[in-house]
Amino acid sequence: MAAPAHERVRIFGIRHHGPGSARSLVRALEDLRPDVVLVEGPPEADAIVGLAADPGMVPPVALLAHVVDGGEGRSAAFWPFAEFSPEWQAIRHALRAGVPVRFCDLPAAHHLAEAPDHDSVAEPDTGPAPEPDAEPDDRPNDRPDDGPDDGPDNGPDAAAAVRLDPLARLAEAAGYDDAERWWDDVVEHRGGGPAPFDAVAEAMAALRDHAPAPPADHVRREKRREAYMRRTVRRALKDGFERIAVVCGAWHVPAIAAALGPARSPGAPTAAGDDRTLRGLPAVRVALTWVPWSYGRLAARSGYGAGVTSPGWYHHLFAAPDRPIERWFTAVAAVLRVEDLPVSSAHVIEAVRLADALAALRGRPLAGLAEVTDATLAVLCEGADLPLELIQHRMVVGERLGAVPDGTPMVPLQRDLRDEQRRLRFHPSATAKELDLDLRRPVDLDRSRLLHRLRLLGVPWGEPGGSGRGKGTFRETWTLAWRPEFDVRLVESGAWGLTVRDAASARARALAAEAGGLTELTALAEQCLPADLGDALPAVMAALADRAAADTDVAHLMGALPALVRTLRYGDVRGTSAEPLRTVVDGLVVRVCVGLPAEVIGLDDDAARALLGRVDDVHGALSLLGDAEHTARWHGTLTTLIDRPGLHGLIEGRLTRLLLDAGLLDDAGGSPGGDDGRADVPADGDDGADRPAGGDDGRVGDSAGGSRPDRFAGGIGDRMARAVSAGTSPAHAAAWIEGFLSGGGLILVHDDRLLRLVDAWIAALPPESFAAVLPLLRRTFGTFEAPERRAIGERVARIGTASGRGSAAGESLDLERAAPAVRTVIGILGGPHGDSGRPRARSGSGDRSEPVRRGDSRRDDERERT
């Protein structure tokens, strides 16, 4: 005759992700030797639970349930497991012993059919698809940061407080003000002794009996879950199992045990009542698989409802039961030494002593995380917060990312990505790391294409770095960090194709059809080319051409041009064809040049500043493009604008600087032809073909062989003098200066006349005007680098002194002593030796050096006499 149900069933109420609970559970299961193990989780996972015994399954991992055929409700849910999770240890024990494992929670088909509510804990920064934990509020310590309820001990708020964090009430009754510390002391830090499960079950029964009634919707949800748990237990009894182990959240223990008592009360749940509770539940078709998880996502701070504050610390407590404090400090010292911080063995010894002393003073059985952290800060980090933050990130939370075996069920898109990662030796990691790709190498080029394609699919495994383009168009810098929720994105993106390339191409075509503006289309085109999506590029280009032809807003056209030019440039480097873009770019340049004059009329300060940014972007884009015809057309447009009456000072100053840097304005102080205003034009028939196309900052210069506007009559000094003259309002003058210097302040370091003009203008301002323009000037000069500001200040300090005048006129230089050094430098740079290597003499009346004319012996003789 079979034993009574309550003798055949043993219920273990555990705390999810608790190392003490896991260790106690392992001992209890070894003593019980059950013939079936029931674990809280979705029963659809029974078919794949055997994969937990595969050597390739390395926790932390998670069961992922996702909707297959759509429908209302949630799209996916996770059930995470760590090495120190009691459920994981129960599963591994059953698989080692060769006994069945069954999940006993409400099926995922019903769970995902429910509309998202407060129990759906969306992961932060994961996009539009919610990834909730499976019923996070079933955990006895869901919200470890929530303290005991301060309100009256009745009503829905009090009920929610008890339900969300029952440990807080137990800790409060035990005289603790921290539920985490109480649980660690009584459970997690236990080295031996009797198992705590009976005491936990009794405490939970008392809490359930005295807790205020929760909200009605919460009651319905909990009744369904616990009804299904009891149904699973009854099925195991019916199947003839004699030793049934049930591993579930401690809160549910009284509800399951109530149906198994030797003398059930009249109100105890019955099988018929549970069937009525579960009848007619909404359901969707779901699929389950295993996916890698990370300790960062297991932490409570990630938004995971059942998370713990210190996954790395809990993993250490479970993996190192022997002398855990000593081993912890040894590992901390190793981490700090890797960062070149001096930590000796004496530091470790003192830290252990301090942690033990703090635990004794605080009445704790073992030094906990608080004591260990205090000792680490005081001894190993010597009071510095930054090393402590490093330990918090790398060890207390941890950087571990799990792995799943190849036999795990996956959608084709996931399988293709895994194959690509293996082919490219490109393995994911939860730790953010920098990756520098050289696109001239085939393997790096394929890695770049894979990262760009994944970004199109909403899987930002890699974030482009800001410094990659500064190293040349053949280099890319990425920051890589894999997040578990990316697997959900891959599952959702499986509808676009079976491979990453096909899915990205289909997604790009769909985005092109749905794009609402020119900026979106240009950004999409910029993504398609580096992703090498030749199949999708024609559709994107057709949509882009149609939208560009219909868009009459010059601001939109100027905003779209830089992205298209970058795409053209990247297309050349990657060896992919970008000819469809050339026609679009040609048309945009013409339309921008035609429409810009009308765009600069009647601008206020905000509009002028916005236009300034767009002008700089277009100027830089055309510099990158290097097309002589487009460059000449752009310069011609700027030429027509610079003397337009009523032009905003910010725009006028910026256009003046752009034309000066392009060589289209004389940089002398007076008119061309004068001794002090001689234009720096080529002599002896030199047509300027050797002039560089741009400076270090990428600005366009004279294009070899291309036409360009003639130089202006009048130097930059005269233009600045007019801009800051007494007849100009201080606000306009300050805006002109800001626009002119927005490209950098080095021009004031190298051009003494311009510096003197700015200094004289500021000195002549009346007090009220000075107070008005000072914020503008501070904003302008605040954008300069510190060395630039220092050099400008030093030159201003010398204005009016003999050294300042000598420096300006070149009178303090000993030309004979400087000539050998100049010849040596010219020789190193590959230039000719001889007289051309002598320092250039400065004109007696001007403030700049005269150009050295090759073959001008008379000037050489004059220079020798000087």
Side-chain angles (χ1 to χ4, degrees):
M1 181 176 177
H6 70 279
E7 295 181 2
R8 297 164 58 188
V9 179
R10 179 69 190 277
I11 307 173
F12 299 99
I14 50 90
R15 177 196 185 184
H16 301 266
H17 316 307
S21 295
R23 193 178 298 113
S24 299
L25 179 63
V26 170
R27 291 196 298 266
L29 292 177
E30 290 174 351
D31 293 339
L32 179 64
R33 296 168 59 187
D35 50 8
V36 66
V37 177
L38 308 182
V39 179
E40 183 179 328
E44 294 94 337
D46 289 351
I48 60 173
V49 70
L51 289 171
D54 194 296
M57 184 75 77
V58 181
V61 293
L63 284 171
L64 166 62
H66 58 90
V67 177
V68 175
D69 55 358
E72 298 295 331
R74 312 171 189 178
S75 61
F78 292 107
W79 285 260
F81 301 94
E83 183 73 24
F84 52 84
S85 299
E87 302 96 325
W88 180 259
Q89 291 300 320
I91 292 171
R92 295 296 294 264
H93 173 87
L95 294 176
R96 285 194 303 267
V99 301
V101 181
R102 298 178 182 178
F103 288 102
C104 61
D105 202 353
L106 189 70
H110 303 313
H111 175 76
L112 294 179
E114 297 178 356
D117 53 20
H118 66 279
D119 287 332
S120 300
V121 181
E123 298 288 342
D125 300 324
T126 59
E131 291 91 27
D133 167 54
E135 293 293 346
D137 60 357
D138 66 322
R139 314 303 164 94
N141 189 29
D142 284 334
R143 315 249 179 217
D145 293 334
D146 289 351
D149 183 41
D150 295 329
D153 200 18
N154 52 42
D157 292 340
V162 175
R163 180 62 186 86
L164 286 177
D165 193 2
L167 295 186
R169 289 306 178 94
L170 295 177
E172 183 182 8
Y176 283 73
D177 58 358
D178 186 347
E180 283 284 309
R181 177 173 297 183
W182 174 79
W183 182 262
D184 287 345
D185 287 350
V186 301
V187 177
E188 307 302 348
H189 293 168
R190 290 169 59 92
F197 301 109
D198 292 338
V200 170
E202 183 179 354
M204 291 300 155
L207 280 176
R208 291 179 68 113
D209 290 341
H210 296 86
D217 59 340
H218 182 81
V219 171
R220 287 193 299 270
R221 183 167 53 252
E222 289 300 291
K223 282 185 175 180
R224 293 168 182 171
R225 297 187 61 212
E226 292 170 350
Y228 198 90
M229 291 180 186
R230 290 190 292 267
R231 173 187 284 184
T232 307
V233 173
R234 294 189 187 101
R235 186 180 299 117
L237 290 169
K238 185 177 180 180
D239 291 342
F241 293 108
E242 294 297 327
R243 295 182 303 277
I244 303 171
V246 181
V247 180
C248 64
W251 182 261
H252 302 298
V253 172
I256 299 175
L260 305 174
R264 293 183 303 173
S265 62
T270 62
D274 289 342
D275 290 341
R276 286 193 299 271
T277 301
L278 298 172
R279 187 177 300 130
L281 292 182
V284 293
R285 194 161 66 94
V286 299
L288 271 82
T289 185
W290 290 100
V291 295
W293 202 251
S294 69
Y295 278 174
R297 281 294 183 262
L298 198 65
R301 69 182 187 184
S302 70
Y304 169 41
V308 294
T309 58
S310 50
W313 167 253
Y314 274 4
H315 177 91
H316 173 78
L317 290 180
F318 183 78
D322 177 43
R323 306 181 73 86
I325 305 303
E326 291 84 349
R327 296 179 187 276
W328 175 265
F329 281 119
T330 302
V332 169
V335 171
L336 294 177
R337 287 171 187 150
V338 170
E339 300 298 328
D340 294 329
L341 296 175
V343 179
S344 66
S345 300
H347 284 88
V348 175
I349 294 171
E350 289 302 319
V352 173
R353 290 175 177 172
L354 179 57
D356 291 340
L358 290 173
L361 288 173
R362 296 169 182 175
R364 307 196 66 180
L366 180 72
L369 182 59
E371 289 72 31
V372 167
T373 301
D374 291 342
T376 301
L377 176 62
V379 179
L380 301 184
C381 300
E382 297 180 350
D385 291 332
L386 191 59
L388 185 65
E389 292 179 6
L390 177 69
I391 298 303
Q392 179 74 21
H393 174 71
R394 293 191 182 178
M395 293 191 62
V396 175
V397 175
E399 300 173 335
R400 187 182 298 262
L401 178 68
V404 298
D406 291 336
T408 304
M410 299 181 184
V411 298
L413 190 60
Q414 287 177 296
R415 183 72 61 185
D416 180 69
L417 175 58
R418 173 168 287 207
D419 293 342
E420 286 293 293
Q421 290 171 337
R422 187 179 294 111
R423 179 179 69 86
L424 299 174
R425 300 185 299 279
F426 205 24
H427 303 296
S429 170
T431 305
K433 61 179 182 179
E434 297 292 328
L435 178 68
D436 191 19
L437 298 180
D438 186 343
L439 301 182
R440 297 170 296 186
R441 299 176 54 205
V443 64
D444 281 357
L445 182 59
D446 287 344
R447 288 174 175 177
S448 173
R449 289 169 175 167
L450 178 63
L451 292 174
H452 281 288
R453 291 168 184 171
L454 289 175
R455 288 178 63 81
L456 269 170
L457 294 175
V459 182
W461 177 20
E463 293 290 342
S467 60
R469 287 174 180 166
K471 300 177 181 178
T473 56
F474 61 89
R475 305 194 74 87
E476 281 186 348
T477 301
W478 295 83
T479 301
L480 303 182
W482 185 266
R483 300 202 300 267
E485 60 269 18
F486 290 164
D487 285 290
V488 178
R489 308 283 182 82
L490 291 172
V491 169
E492 295 172 345
S493 299
W496 296 107
L498 302 181
T499 66
V500 175
R501 178 189 175 93
D502 292 344
S505 296
R507 179 62 175 158
R509 288 192 292 269
L511 290 174
E514 300 168 359
L518 188 60
T519 303
E520 296 178 23
L521 282 170
T522 54
L524 180 60
E526 193 176 13
Q527 286 182 286
C528 286
L529 207 62
D532 192 24
L533 300 180
D535 298 339
L537 197 58
V540 176
M541 287 299 99
L544 180 61
D546 294 343
R547 189 61 55 84
D551 200 327
T552 59
D553 192 329
V554 177
H556 291 171
L557 301 179
M558 296 178 73
L561 185 60
L564 295 180
V565 170
R566 287 194 302 267
T567 305
L568 275 175
R569 186 64 177 267
Y570 269 83
D572 294 338
V573 173
R574 294 170 179 272
T576 54
S577 175
E579 286 305 317
L581 278 176
R582 174 65 64 171
T583 303
V584 178
V585 169
D586 292 343
L588 284 181
V589 172
V590 174
R591 296 178 63 192
V592 167
C593 291
V594 171
L596 185 58
E599 191 75 6
V600 301
I601 298 174
L603 299 178
D604 58 14
D605 292 342
D606 293 337
R609 197 169 303 281
L611 181 61
L612 177 68
R614 290 193 291 268
V615 168
D616 282 342
D617 291 342
V618 172
H619 189 80
L622 293 180
S623 302
L624 183 65
L625 186 61
D627 186 285
E629 183 178 354
H630 288 330
T631 300
R633 180 178 289 109
W634 174 248
H635 287 163
T637 301
L638 301 186
T639 301
T640 62
L641 294 177
I642 191 172
D643 289 322
R644 172 168 293 196
L647 191 64
H648 195 281
L650 196 65
I651 301 299
E652 182 182 350
R654 188 63 187 141
L655 298 186
T656 302
R657 178 66 179 274
L658 294 179
L659 292 174
L660 174 65
D661 291 342
L664 301 179
L665 285 181
D666 295 336
D667 54 357
S671 301
D675 290 339
D676 62 346
R678 200 171 282 110
D680 189 9
V681 294
D684 301 329
D686 189 355
D687 60 357
D690 293 334
R691 179 185 296 276
D696 292 339
D697 58 356
R699 294 186 179 87
V700 177
D702 300 345
S703 301
S707 61
R708 62 178 178 83
D710 294 333
R711 292 178 183 272
F712 283 93
I716 182 59
D718 294 337
R719 290 186 172 275
M720 178 175 281
R722 290 196 299 270
V724 300
S725 64
T728 305
S729 67
H732 185 276
W736 195 98
I737 294 294
E738 181 181 357
F740 183 79
L741 297 179
S742 62
L746 283 178
I747 191 171
L748 295 183
V749 178
H750 298 296
D751 197 317
D752 192 70
R753 174 178 169 80
L754 300 183
L755 180 63
R756 290 172 180 269
L757 284 169
V758 175
D759 179 69
W761 167 67
I762 295 176
L765 287 173
E768 62 276 5
S769 299
F770 178 80
V773 303
L774 181 60
L776 303 178
L777 293 175
R778 291 189 63 180
R779 180 174 59 192
T780 300
F781 284 86
T783 60
F784 301 162
E785 297 293 336
E788 292 182 9
R789 296 197 300 269
R790 187 181 307 111
I792 292 173
E794 291 172 354
R795 291 188 63 87
V796 169
R798 293 198 301 267
I799 290 179
T801 64
S803 62
R805 290 191 297 271
S807 176
E811 295 173 357
S812 63
L813 294 178
D814 188 331
L815 301 181
E816 292 301 328
R817 293 180 62 188
V822 174
R823 285 196 295 270
T824 300
V825 173
I826 293 178
I828 293 173
L829 297 177
H833 296 275
D835 290 341
S836 62
R838 295 183 181 276
R840 293 183 296 178
R842 294 185 180 270
S843 171
S845 58
D847 291 304
R848 62 181 300 274
S849 301
E850 278 209 5
V852 178
R853 316 290 186 175
R854 291 192 294 272
D856 193 340
S857 59
R858 178 180 60 81
R859 181 161 299 167
D860 290 342
D861 292 340
E862 293 176 355
R863 184 172 63 249
E864 287 289 338
R865 288 194 297 271
T866 305

